[in-house]
Structure formats: structure tokens, C-alpha cells
DNA sequence: GTACTTCTGTGGTCTGTCCACAGTGGGCTA
DNA sequence: TAGCCCACTGTGGACAGACCACAGAAGTAC
């Protein structure tokens, strides 16, 4: 086993044992190196991995905010992994779409069952209205679209689902932009997408999980079909 | 932007541009460092992250197999991320279970629609029978159980779903073992789980996607409830 | 009491060195 | 000539030591 893997294993053991909690700091790199009898670069490599996985955040300087602080960002690591694999071209778009359908349909159903926070719903609606602004270019439209979907999924309350979908965000935005360019009458389609978003939010607001799920499924698959993205 | 992040960005750009393909090697660490005008430790940190994400595999020595080779293991990175977050206690088991339900239910539905390969089905059945062996200890039972689930999901044909669930494998195995210990009459429960597995495979074999989906959902949620894992 | 300066601890980075490893090819031996 | 052995070479793995930038904390001057 390589040195940085030993360091990683030690830290992971500490995490499992509850040695540190969110917001606390790991020992300094130099201290950790001495404690484990390894060099600082080896410790750094382990910390880099933890950072890439969204387990810690590092900061220079002194004081409470400096050093490697435990954070809670599952999306970071999952997102990076999905992004890199899509970049390397091994994941087909149809798989990304199907995965979205499964996870978002479930998330929206959960959201309908548990949402009670009107402020959160208002935030989601704000993203829909931002999309509906006239003369919005496609890139900005898609950004708002993604914000809407992620925010809605967050209402479902499942951190893992949220993390996976956040990770897929860049990959999704990429195919949606491609698809939007391929659509004949984009303004009409954009308006329809906004209307579908509103319908989904409304279903969630009245706690109609089954309908919200059905609408979300149709929303994602409908655009995929219309844009002809599956015909490659 | 930190040095290793610049290196990572450059490599990612190369990946997106198709500069290297699966099985090929990245330039040597020293060459990469000189090319980008950075030090070798910075390059190493970037490669460590790629390795942790399942993008490359590194090997010492010389010859074609040495160096950082591009691989295609989405499961590795996703798995590590899920494992570490479960270890740090930020991902509740209930989220893992719910995510399984959504993805596996969908995957098994897809599998029912497309499976034509009897050999693949036979492989899945073999895992069920391995689980049914008498006097199997819990750890071995769970390993076969995981093999079964992953192999079945693979029949669905979605690489991303398979990667995510493969990544969750260790986390799932961990909670199942915990749950098995908590079950009163384990042998009876184990037999029931095997029977449920058989029923799912049968539904897939006769292309009854809706039933396979329902059974899978009930299978995963049923054990979770019976083992009392949601009562923390 | 306030504002400035210095100190201290932190990660960020680089240089240089040595080691272990594995394939390659030349040279030696039978 | 055929086969084997061994040095060579390129690779990642690891370490020591140094210096820098940064940000808060402590001390000092006014």
C-alpha cells in the first residue's frame, strides 16, 4: 500500500470513529506527517484526494478558518467524478438522461410529500420566472433551468440524490444547449418548458407526488425526444 | 487558481478534446511538469486526483504498462466519494437506501425490456444460488447479494447507473451487514431474501418490467424496514 | 483606546535527491 | 548459435529541506 493511501486510510478511520466533526479542522500537514511518520508531500496527496471528494476544504493563513476544515459537500466529489468521465467521453447522453429521469422523478415525489416551506418553494418559482424572461440567450436559459432542477431536487431532502444530480449538472447543461440549438422553433419550446416547470411546482405545492413525478418524467424525456438527441 | 488545479484543467481539456483515448498513457510526470512549467509534486497531486476519480491507473516500472494509463472506471471515483461521505457521517443510510430504490427499480425495468441474453440471466441466477448455500456467514452472503444486484443492474444497460450503484456497493454492504445482525431470525430472513431475488429474476426473464420494478422496490425497502435501520 | 507592526502558524510551491520497480537490450557462456 | 544473465533506462514513489504568501493574533507605540 502506498504511503498516501495509508494516510488516507488513517484519516478515514478517524472520520468513521467520529474523531472530528463537521466544521472542525484536521491536524496541520506537518503535524500529521510527523504523527504518521511520513513526509509532508504524502500527507498533501491524501488531503488533495479528500478535497477533491468534497470532504475537506483547505485554506492558507492562520486562525480558525485556516487549514483543512471538514465540510459537507458530497456534490463536489460526485460531481467531479461524473464530469471527468463525461469529459473522457465514455458516458453516453442517453444514460445521463435516463439517470436524471429516475432520480428527479423520485426526488420530486419526495418533495411533494414533505415540502412545507413556502420560502423554499418561492425560490424554486423564482428560477422559473428567471427562465421566462424575454430575449434570454440559450446559455443563460439553461443555467436557470439547471438552478430550477437542482433547487427542486433539494426539496426532496435526499443529499445523495442531490449530490449526484449536482455532479451531472455540467453534463446536463451541455446536452440541453446542444438540443436547444437543434430545435426548430426555440422560443415556443422555451415557453413550453417554462409552463411545464410551473406545472411541476404546482403539483409539488399541492402535495400531489404522483402527478409531479409523471410531469417531471414527461418534461425530461419530452425535451430529449423533441431535440432529437437520441438519434445518434 | 492553484498549480495542481491548473494541471488538472489542462489534462481535462485534453481529455475532452480526445487527445488521449482509453488504454493510452499520459506523458510521464517529469515531462508533464516541464511542459506545463510546474514542479513534479504539483503534477503528482493532479494525477492523484485523477486516480482517485477512476480516470487513470498508475504503475511503476518501464514498458507499455508503466505510467499513468487512462482507464474507464466511473465506479471507482463515485464509490470512493460515497464511501468517504458515509464514513464522515454526513450521508444518512436512509438516503443511500432511497437512492438504491430509485436507481435499481429503474434499472430492473430497463433490464426486463431489453434482456435477451440467457447467459447473462444465468450469471445472475448463479449469484442467487450462491447466496442460498447453507451455513454461509453473513459477510459472504452479503457479498453474493451485492454481486447479484450489480449484475442485475448491468442488464439494464445504463453505465452511469451501474457506476453509481457500484460506487455505493461498499456503503450498501456495510449497512446490510449491520442490519442482518439486528434481525431476530436471520436464517429465515436470508431465505426470504433469496426467494425475492428469484422472483425478481423471473419477472425480468418474462419481460414483466412493472412487476420486476415493484418487487425490487419492495425487496430493498422491506429489508431496510425489517432490520430497523431507519430508527436512528 | 486605537492604530500600526511584528510574530506565528498555516497551506502552496519548488528543488534536488534517492529508491524500487519492470521492461529492454547487450554481452557472456555453454 | 541459442539461451541466459545482468546492467541500463525510464517510470512512479518517497523524502528532506527550503522559501513564499497569507491571515489572524499578539505586542507595541502613540
Amino acid at each position: 500500500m502506498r504511503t498516501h493511501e495509508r494516510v488516507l486510510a488513517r484519516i478515514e478511520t478517524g472520520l468513521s470513529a467520529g474523531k472530528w466533526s463537521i466544521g472542525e479542522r484536521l491536524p496541520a500537514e506537518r503535524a500529521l506527517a510527523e504523527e504518521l511518520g511520513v513526509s509532508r508531500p504524502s500527507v498533501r496527496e491524501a488531503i488533495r484526494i479528500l478535497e477533491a471528494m468534497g470532504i475537506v476544504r483547505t485554506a492558507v493563513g492562520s486562525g480558525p478558518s485556516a487549514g483543512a476544515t471538514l465540510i459537507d459537500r458530497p456534490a463536489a466529489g460526485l460531481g467531479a467524478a461524473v464530469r471527468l468521465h463525461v469529459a473522457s467521453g465514455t458516458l453516453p447522453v442517453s444514460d445521463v438522461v435516463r439517470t436524471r429521469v429516475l432520480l428527479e422523478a423520485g426526488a420530486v415525489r419526495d418533495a411533494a410529500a414533505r415540502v412545507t416551506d413556502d420560502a423554499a418553494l418561492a425560490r424554486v418559482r423564482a428560477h422559473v420566472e428567471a427562465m421566462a424572461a424575454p430575449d434570454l440567450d440559450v446559455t443563460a436559459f439553461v443555467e436557470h433551468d439547471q438552478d430550477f432542477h437542482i433547487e427542486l431536487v433539494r426539496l426532496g431532502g435526499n443529499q445523495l440524490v442531490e449530490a449526484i444530480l449536482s455532479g451531472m449538472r455540467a453534463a446536463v447543461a451541455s446536452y440541453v444547449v446542444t438540443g436547444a440549438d437543434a430545435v426548430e422553433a426555440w422560443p415556443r419550446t422555451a415557453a413550453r418548458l417554462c409552463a411545464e416547470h410551473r406545472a411541476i411546482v404546482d403539483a409539488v405545492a399541492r402535495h400531489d407526488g404522483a402527478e409531479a413525478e409523471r410531469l417531471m418524467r414527461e418534461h425530461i424525456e419530452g425535451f430529449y425526444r423533441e431535440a432529437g438527441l437520441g438519434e445518434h
Side-chain angles (χ1 to χ4, degrees), chain A:
Chain A
M1 188 183 250
R2 290 174 295 181
T3 309
H4 78 271
E5 291 174 327
R6 279 194 353 245
V7 176
L8 208 48
R10 280 286 291 267
I11 296 177
E12 193 173 342
T13 305
L15 288 174
S16 295
K19 194 168 176 178
W20 309 287
S21 39
I22 302 295
E24 289 185 352
R25 292 188 306 166
L26 259 47
E29 292 178 357
R30 292 169 179 84
L32 218 40
E34 192 178 3
E35 184 187 332
L36 303 179
V38 302
S39 70
R40 203 177 145 211
S42 296
V43 171
R44 283 178 66 77
E45 288 179 11
I47 291 180
R48 277 286 164 278
I49 293 174
L50 292 174
E51 200 183 8
M53 296 290 180
I55 305 288
V56 301
R57 170 185 60 77
T58 60
V60 296
S62 84
S65 68
T69 310
L70 255 75
I71 56 175
D72 180 23
R73 299 284 303 279
L78 295 164
V82 172
R83 205 188 64 238
L84 284 166
H85 280 101
V86 170
S88 72
T90 55
L91 283 178
V93 170
S94 59
D95 284 11
V96 173
V97 172
R98 178 66 173 147
T99 307
R100 274 191 78 188
V101 168
L102 295 178
L103 293 179
E104 293 200 35
V108 88
R109 180 171 211 130
D110 293 344
R114 71 194 286 277
V115 68
T116 51
D117 182 2
D118 285 342
L121 264 178
R123 265 202 309 282
V124 175
R125 285 190 206 275
H127 289 304
V128 184
E129 297 319 314
M131 289 172 66
D135 301 325
L136 206 61
D137 70 70
V138 171
T139 310
F141 180 90
V142 172
E143 282 308 306
H144 288 305
D145 172 64
Q146 291 299 297
D147 285 338
F148 166 82
H149 279 275
I150 301 282
E151 198 70 42
L152 189 55
V153 163
R154 180 168 298 138
L155 294 185
N158 187 315
Q159 291 183 53
L160 183 52
V161 169
E162 185 193 333
I164 294 169
L165 288 169
S166 297
M168 292 166 59
R169 177 184 175 127
V172 171
S174 162
Y175 90 70
V176 174
V177 169
T178 306
D181 291 343
V183 167
E184 297 279 331
W186 171 244
R188 191 159 52 85
T189 299
R192 200 201 68 226
L193 294 176
C194 287
E196 289 175 356
H197 279 192
R198 287 195 194 93
I200 294 170
V201 181
D202 289 344
V204 170
R206 66 174 183 270
H207 306 295
D208 186 347
E211 177 69 359
E213 179 177 347
R214 192 187 66 75
L215 290 171
M216 178 61 87
R217 198 180 293 270
E218 188 48 42
H219 170 65
I220 297 174
E221 289 177 344
F223 176 75
Y224 179 66
R225 275 197 308 271
E226 181 185 2
L229 289 163
E231 297 159 10
H232 303 302

